[in-house]
Amino acid sequence: MNPITNHVGTSAPAKIILFGEHFVVYNKPAILASIDKRVHVDVSVRNDNKIVIKSNMGFGGSFDEKKRKQLQTKSFKSLVQPILLAVTDTMEEFNASVGLDLNIRSEFPYGVGLGSSAACSVAIIAAVGTLFGKLNRKKICNISLNAEKLVHRNPSGADSAICSYGGLILFNKNNNMKSINSDIDLELIVINSGIKRTTGKLVSNVKQKFERDADMFMDLANTSENITIQALKAIKDKDYDELGALMTLNHSLLYKLGVSKNILDKLVEIALHNGALGAKITGGGGGGCIIVLTNKHFKNKIMKEMKGYETFVSKVERDGVIIK
Ligand code: MEV
């Protein structure tokens, strides 16, 4: 198929996991939100068959067919690989094969639990798909799972869902996802520990834990499910205190699961000591970011205490992937 247009711009949001990370891989529910930081993608058709990637995320390059095939056989090292996979999977969907210039600009760091790989692939699939026709959110989300497998090894699909649909969602690997209709106004602070890690490795470590002691693991997983169900009620009731307490409880569960780190526990403690309603790891853990639920009164105090760490205030973003 030939392109119907030569240039498309899209964007997709960063995500946070409010409740249920890791256990979501084992069919337990999770609550996710998209936040007001985005990955922007511009794609243009080239005259040759190269895919040329430029980004502000420290990766890029020019890839002809031979180079692309070579990269396909290698294990995950760089975001370039899932990006190329997302591009070729999308073109296959339309029976197309053209050269492309891809410009990727992210407003948030990658490798710190904010869903950069999912946001990149979702925005890219929407952009490349729109060159040839139309893809709905469900299709975009499904195509991105292949690229996510490279990064997360055994992804639940939660990151792809939130980056595609946006807002606040209840995600379950089996029953897919539901939007949470609530006008709750979450005052969130994201704090980056600065420690980069790969989610795939953490997901594999958790799998080993599951294989070593399935009973203990399922106890933790059932507790995570209970916390998530209570959190859903707290969101619907707009009970901020309860929601914060449940976030902190979720953090202790992730600590028991072994995906926390001293520095993450310390950041959680500083936030709570300075008036936060709740705080926890977000995403795979092992480094990356924590999220803090606060209110207007304590926001500045908490941010001031996080000296030396990248810190930003976030709101829940309603829009998932958009075509500009
Ligand atoms: C990563 O953002 C979230 C995990 O639960 C993995 C997944 O759901 O695929 C750790």
Side-chain angles (χ1 to χ4, degrees):
M1 188 188 259
N2 290 324
I4 52 173
T5 179
N6 283 326
H7 177 255
V8 178
T10 59
S11 73
K15 70 98 206 324
I16 52 170
I17 302 189
L18 285 160
F19 296 94
E21 50 271 269
H22 283 295
F23 300 107
V24 68
V25 176
Y26 299 82
N27 301 327
K28 297 296 181 190
I31 296 176
L32 294 97
S34 53
I35 56 170
D36 47 0
K37 297 250 177 235
R38 302 184 75 87
V39 169
H40 301 266
V41 169
D42 277 297
V43 61
S44 308
V45 177
R46 288 175 61 92
N47 293 327
D48 56 24
N49 73 350
K50 286 184 186 139
I51 294 176
V52 180
I53 302 173
K54 286 189 187 141
S55 82
N56 68 344
M57 297 162 85
F59 61 83
S62 173
F63 305 89
D64 58 20
E65 238 163 288
K66 194 173 156 209
K67 254 191 179 171
R68 297 204 290 269
K69 287 225 164 87
Q70 279 169 354
L71 272 176
Q72 267 173 21
T73 60
K74 301 216 163 105
S75 57
F76 172 63
K77 281 205 178 61
S78 149
L79 267 186
V80 151
Q81 291 160 280
I83 283 167
L84 288 172
L85 199 58
V87 170
T88 45
D89 284 350
T90 311
M91 287 209 270
E92 255 171 41
E93 194 65 35
F94 290 93
N95 241 326
S97 173
V98 294
L100 298 172
D101 278 320
L102 273 177
N103 273 302
I104 304 167
R105 183 177 62 80
S106 180
E107 296 170 359
F108 60 97
Y110 76 94
V112 292
L114 299 177
S116 53
S117 63
C120 278
S121 60
V122 161
I124 284 164
I125 292 161
V128 176
T130 308
L131 287 176
F132 301 99
K134 248 191 166 159
L135 289 175
N136 62 25
R137 288 180 201 277
K138 191 168 181 201
K139 192 84 200 170
I140 292 170
C141 181
N142 281 343
I143 297 175
S144 79
L145 291 181
N146 204 21
E148 279 291 274
K149 268 187 201 140
L150 256 188
V151 188
H152 289 201
R153 298 184 198 173
N154 178 27
S156 63
D159 289 11
S160 296
I162 190 64
C163 293
S164 303
Y165 290 90
L168 203 52
I169 66 167
L170 176 68
F171 182 89
N172 196 306
K173 204 173 153 185
N174 285 335
N175 316 333
N176 226 328
M177 57 140 281
K178 279 195 194 111
S179 282
I180 302 173
N181 286 325
S182 164
D183 56 358
I184 193 163
D185 186 13
L186 298 176
E187 198 88 42
L188 294 158
I189 307 173
V190 179
I191 298 146
N192 183 0
S193 69
I195 302 170
K196 286 210 194 279
R197 76 296 172 285
T198 52
T199 304
K201 198 151 183 251
L202 287 146
V203 171
S204 295
N205 292 347
V206 169
K207 186 166 173 244
Q208 280 171 21
K209 197 140 190 149
F210 169 69
E211 284 164 354
R212 271 201 304 272
D213 190 344
D215 287 345
M216 187 273 289
F217 184 88
M218 285 322 290
D219 276 351
L220 295 180
N222 290 333
T223 310
S224 173
E225 181 171 29
N226 285 336
I227 292 174
T228 306
I229 292 167
Q230 289 177 58
L232 190 61
K233 183 170 181 318
I235 290 173
K236 289 188 173 156
D237 294 346
K238 292 208 211 162
D239 187 342
Y240 295 92
D241 289 336
E242 171 75 356
L243 197 63
L246 289 166
M247 281 171 67
T248 309
L249 201 59
N250 196 158
H251 181 78
S252 8
L253 205 64
L254 293 167
Y255 169 85
K256 282 192 195 143
L257 187 64
V259 298
S260 193
K261 264 195 174 304
N262 286 347
I263 180 61
L264 301 174
D265 301 333
K266 194 178 127 198
L267 294 174
V268 165
E269 232 177 86
I270 295 173
L272 295 174
H273 188 72
N274 286 283
L277 300 175
K280 67 181 278 289
I281 290 169
T282 186
C289 293
I290 68 154
I291 48 170
V292 175
L293 181 65
T294 180
N295 58 28
K296 281 187 203 68
H297 308 296
F298 292 104
K299 192 166 70 185
N300 290 341
K301 189 166 189 284
I302 294 168
M303 304 235 330
K304 214 172 126 202
E305 290 303 319
M306 299 293 172
K307 281 188 274 300
Y309 295 97
E310 183 186 7
T311 301
F312 54 88
V313 175
S314 266
K315 287 274 179 202
V316 175
E317 159 93 35
R318 293 286 146 200
D319 287 331
V321 62
I322 52 176
I323 296 155
K324 292 177 189 167

